[in-house]
Amino acid sequence: NGGVYTVDVKQPWAEAVAVVDGRIVKVGDNSDIRVLIGSNTQITDLNGRMLLPSFGDSHLHLLYGGEVSSSCLLSWAEQPDEIARLLRACAEHHAGDSESWIFATRWARWSFADGNPPAEFLNQLFPDRPVVIEASDGHSFWVNQSALDRVGIDDNTPNPEDGLIARDPVTGRATGLMHESAIQLITARMPTATDRDRKKFILKAVATAHEFGITAAIEPGLNLRQAKLFAALDGAGELNMRLLLALTPLGWEIAAFDERIYATIKRRSEVESEQVAAHSVKVFVDGVIENGTAPLLEPYHDESVQSLDLFFPTDKLQAYFTSLDRQGISIHVHAIGDRGIKQALDAFAGMRRANGMSDNRHLMTHLQLIDKVDIPRFQRLNIIASFATLWAYPEEYNLEIYPPLIGAERVERFYPVASVASTGARVAIGSDWSVEDMNPFLAIEVAITRQDPITDSGSILNPNERIDLALVLEAYTKNVAYAMKLEDQIGSIEPGKFADLVVLDRNLFAIPVQQISQTQVLMTLFNGRQVFVRDLAKSEP
């Protein structure tokens, strides 16, 4: 008795669905399903509400995000006074002693001019206690002098490979900003969580995902120890998620990809289970634009930016891709800037020349600034394009940070979702939580409007790159299933597939687009079992 949107081109809409032993057995009209009802059948009357296949997320950091959401959150505070207040409150809450570390996340770069906070800010707040603050994009740390002293970084410490220690242009002193692999100089000496803690972080993140109707995801950038936690939870019957783990030798570290990847993938069976696969690896080719670590085809406008080079020579990257592809491994590439995206596509092209087409589900994620001549190459090379569509509107980064760095023309070309999709390339959506909000309804609305989903006002980021609701739902369901090699099991409501389903409080096709962001999940089913439920009786369809 609902609006069942199947994401199945053969039967896009239905009224009812029958599930037996965790699988869909019939999809059709109420009369088609009613004849199957027996004395033991559990009946859910949708009362006109919408039923969808549950969402997948093509780039979701469950372990890392669960840990971050358990730490001190600055919640993108925009004013220095508010940041100071939140940090003092965190220091009091996590009192410990004067020697214990304070770790905070979700620092918004635009809270300080040019994204560069003054070194004195943290030093004056906490002259003796080490403080580490992660930028909201996850690619920079902001630390105080006490933290620098604790890990042994001084004005003469060299930049690590693929990393930058920001320095005062006049004095040469380290300012406390650490970019890309320089982060690891801090994390190597910070206190770490236990595996027991990490399992709790994962379960907390999975519960959040269920609240948003997400039951499948690609978890990018885990080492073997981190990956084993997911398999252990699945073996204990606690995970309730279908996951593809993209492995790297060293886990979350930016420069975490080298020859050790071959030894890592040889052991991938150790981290796989019934619902956890690991036929993927994570590769960074660049950093991010906001700190200058994503090389661009044209120079940054701000001459003070200390830009990095690409993380790999193209011939070496191509050799990695070719070897991994031959071994049946899907490659999950972080690529932000147009130069890094072009290099990755060049490496994939060389891989295709050497190996021919394969059934490996290679994917490039983020794709913030793509050279126009490279847009058709995703389709030609059969590379999945994964976008975080929630970023595709004029938010603070676009208005405050990016224009001085690269100019308004390049900002306007960010996230060309429609252009890539129009070539026939497969587009998926990944939230990049906890860098960004996990809520799919915010991302769905922005994909359609390219406008602020909260205020529903303000400027629009390149309206030509809008996509329609049917395409964005396919990107969030069927295409993620394809990226995970699960298209025969999940991603649409069809007989034989797992009953991974989500009930919404409204029909997305029957409301103004601006209301999509207000949508709530009423029920999430995984293998036909409720893993999240709100009171349907209290929600009007």
Side-chain angles (χ1 to χ4, degrees):
N1 192 25
V4 180
Y5 187 65
T6 66
V7 199
D8 174 16
V9 293
K10 300 186 299 294
Q11 183 185 14
W13 288 95
E15 284 184 310
V17 177
V19 175
V20 177
D21 294 332
R23 294 218 181 231
I24 299 165
V25 296
K26 197 171 185 64
V27 182
D29 297 335
N30 288 333
S31 58
D32 297 325
I33 307 303
R34 191 172 288 117
V35 298
L36 302 177
I37 295 174
S39 59
N40 294 321
T41 303
Q42 179 181 342
I43 302 170
T44 299
D45 185 351
L46 293 174
N47 190 26
R49 298 179 183 87
M50 190 175 198
L51 183 74
L52 286 168
S54 57
F55 297 112
D57 191 308
S58 60
H59 194 85
L60 178 64
H61 299 279
L62 290 167
L63 172 53
Y64 177 68
E67 183 170 355
V68 164
S69 62
S70 302
S71 65
C72 174
L73 299 179
L74 298 185
S75 301
W76 301 285
E78 298 185 9
Q79 299 301 321
D81 287 349
E82 179 65 5
I83 292 173
R85 184 190 70 78
L86 290 169
L87 287 173
R88 289 192 186 100
C90 288
E92 184 176 346
H93 181 71
H94 303 282
D97 55 46
S98 60
E99 296 295 307
S100 61
W101 293 66
I102 301 168
F103 180 65
T105 62
R106 294 183 180 170
W107 157 51
R109 291 182 187 274
W110 58 86
S111 55
F112 293 93
D114 302 321
N116 296 313
E120 302 78 24
F121 187 90
L122 288 182
N123 295 335
Q124 292 173 356
L125 279 175
F126 302 100
D128 302 313
R129 191 171 174 184
V131 180
V132 177
I133 304 175
E134 182 184 46
S136 56
D137 55 39
H139 286 255
S140 298
F141 276 6
W142 169 27
V143 307
N144 66 348
Q145 188 62 45
S146 179
L148 293 174
D149 294 342
R150 189 72 65 92
V151 302
I153 294 174
D154 59 29
D155 301 339
N156 299 314
T157 302
N159 289 326
E161 184 178 3
D162 300 328
L164 283 173
I165 302 170
R167 306 177 195 278
D168 186 284
V170 177
T171 66
R173 298 203 63 182
T175 66
L177 281 178
M178 317 291 287
H179 302 311
E180 305 303 342
S181 67
I183 290 171
Q184 296 154 29
L185 301 176
I186 303 295
T187 57
R189 300 288 297 275
M190 285 178 60
T192 58
T194 66
D195 284 351
R196 183 178 179 181
D197 292 332
R198 292 186 178 109
K199 287 181 179 178
K200 292 179 180 178
F201 298 149
I202 292 170
L203 293 178
K204 177 180 180 180
V206 168
T208 302
H210 290 162
E211 290 185 27
F212 290 127
I214 299 167
T215 62
I218 300 176
E219 165 84 35
L222 299 179
N223 61 29
L224 289 169
R225 178 174 178 175
Q226 294 164 337
K228 286 179 180 178
L229 300 173
F230 290 89
L233 288 170
D234 189 30
E238 299 179 64
L239 188 60
N240 294 322
M241 285 279 287
R242 302 187 204 283
L243 295 176
L244 172 59
L245 311 182
L247 302 175
T248 61
L250 302 176
W252 297 329
E253 299 179 12
I254 300 297
F257 198 88
D258 56 26
E259 299 298 318
R260 286 170 288 185
I261 189 59
Y262 298 118
T264 299
I265 60 174
K266 283 181 180 179
R267 297 176 57 190
R268 65 187 179 92
S269 62
E270 299 175 17
V271 303
E272 293 186 313
S273 61
E274 182 179 0
Q275 290 161 173
V276 178
H279 52 80
S280 179
V281 300
K282 168 77 176 293
V283 184
F284 285 86
V285 298
D286 62 5
V288 292
I289 292 173
E290 49 265 33
N291 65 18
T293 58
L296 303 178
L297 294 173
E298 297 295 330
Y300 282 82
H301 288 189
D302 186 343
E303 296 180 356
S304 68
V305 170
Q306 304 173 57
S307 183
L308 287 180
D309 201 352
L310 293 170
F311 290 178
F312 297 96
T314 300
D315 58 348
K316 188 172 185 179
L317 191 67
Q318 181 177 317
Y320 278 133
F321 286 10
T322 303
S323 176
L324 291 164
D325 179 66
R326 283 176 181 160
Q327 297 178 63
I329 299 298
S330 300
I331 301 163
H332 188 104
V333 182
H334 165 112
I336 291 276
D338 52 8
R339 189 174 160 205
I341 292 168
K342 186 179 293 291
Q343 184 203 43
L345 289 169
D346 288 345
F348 277 125
M351 177 198 76
R352 295 299 192 202
R353 288 192 297 270
N355 296 350
M357 284 293 174
S358 70
D359 194 38
N360 302 321
R361 308 300 166 81
H362 304 307
L363 176 150
M364 291 176 64
T365 190
H366 304 319
L367 305 175
Q368 187 167 357
L369 179 64
I370 308 177
D371 188 6
K372 292 178 181 178
V373 301
D374 287 328
I375 286 175
R377 299 176 73 193
F378 290 88
Q379 188 276 331
R380 292 202 298 263
L381 295 168
N382 193 24
I383 307 300
I384 301 162
S386 170
F387 291 95
T389 57
L390 183 49
W391 294 337
Y393 76 94
E395 42 88 42
E396 286 87 348
Y397 270 109
N398 299 38
L399 297 172
E400 302 291 336
I401 299 296
Y402 292 133
L405 281 176
I406 65 172
E409 188 275 333
R410 282 187 283 187
V411 173
E412 185 68 7
R413 291 196 283 115
F414 280 0
Y415 308 112
V417 185
S419 293
V420 173
S422 69
T423 68
R426 200 179 303 265
V427 170
I429 297 179
S431 66
D432 202 12
W433 185 79
S434 66
V435 173
E436 189 49 271
D437 200 310
M438 196 193 300
N439 186 343
F441 305 105
L442 293 171
I444 290 168
E445 183 175 313
V446 173
I448 299 168
T449 67
R450 308 277 292 197
Q451 191 175 38
D452 188 328
I454 305 302
T455 66
D456 297 319
S457 63
S459 55
I460 295 169
L461 181 65
N462 195 345
N464 294 326
E465 296 299 343
R466 293 164 164 166
I467 59 176
D468 64 27
L469 178 57
L471 180 55
V472 74
L473 290 178
E474 183 176 283
Y476 242 131
T477 54
K478 184 184 291 186
N479 289 356
V480 178
Y482 177 86
M484 297 175 68
K485 280 195 172 182
L486 292 176
E487 69 272 22
D488 294 333
Q489 303 293 322
I490 60 172
S492 60
I493 302 178
E494 299 180 64
K497 292 192 174 184
F498 286 112
D500 295 357
L501 307 169
V502 59
V503 180
L504 308 184
D505 67 348
R506 63 198 73 193
N507 187 327
L508 302 182
F509 287 90
I511 60 174
V513 171
Q514 290 75 17
Q515 291 182 15
I516 291 177
S517 57
Q518 302 166 28
T519 302
Q520 286 193 317
V521 168
L522 301 181
M523 181 189 298
T524 303
L525 276 68
F526 180 77
N527 283 338
R529 294 180 290 104
Q530 292 181 3
V531 290
F532 173 75
V533 63
R534 285 189 173 93
D535 188 350
L536 273 69
K538 295 181 179 179
S539 174
E540 292 297 325

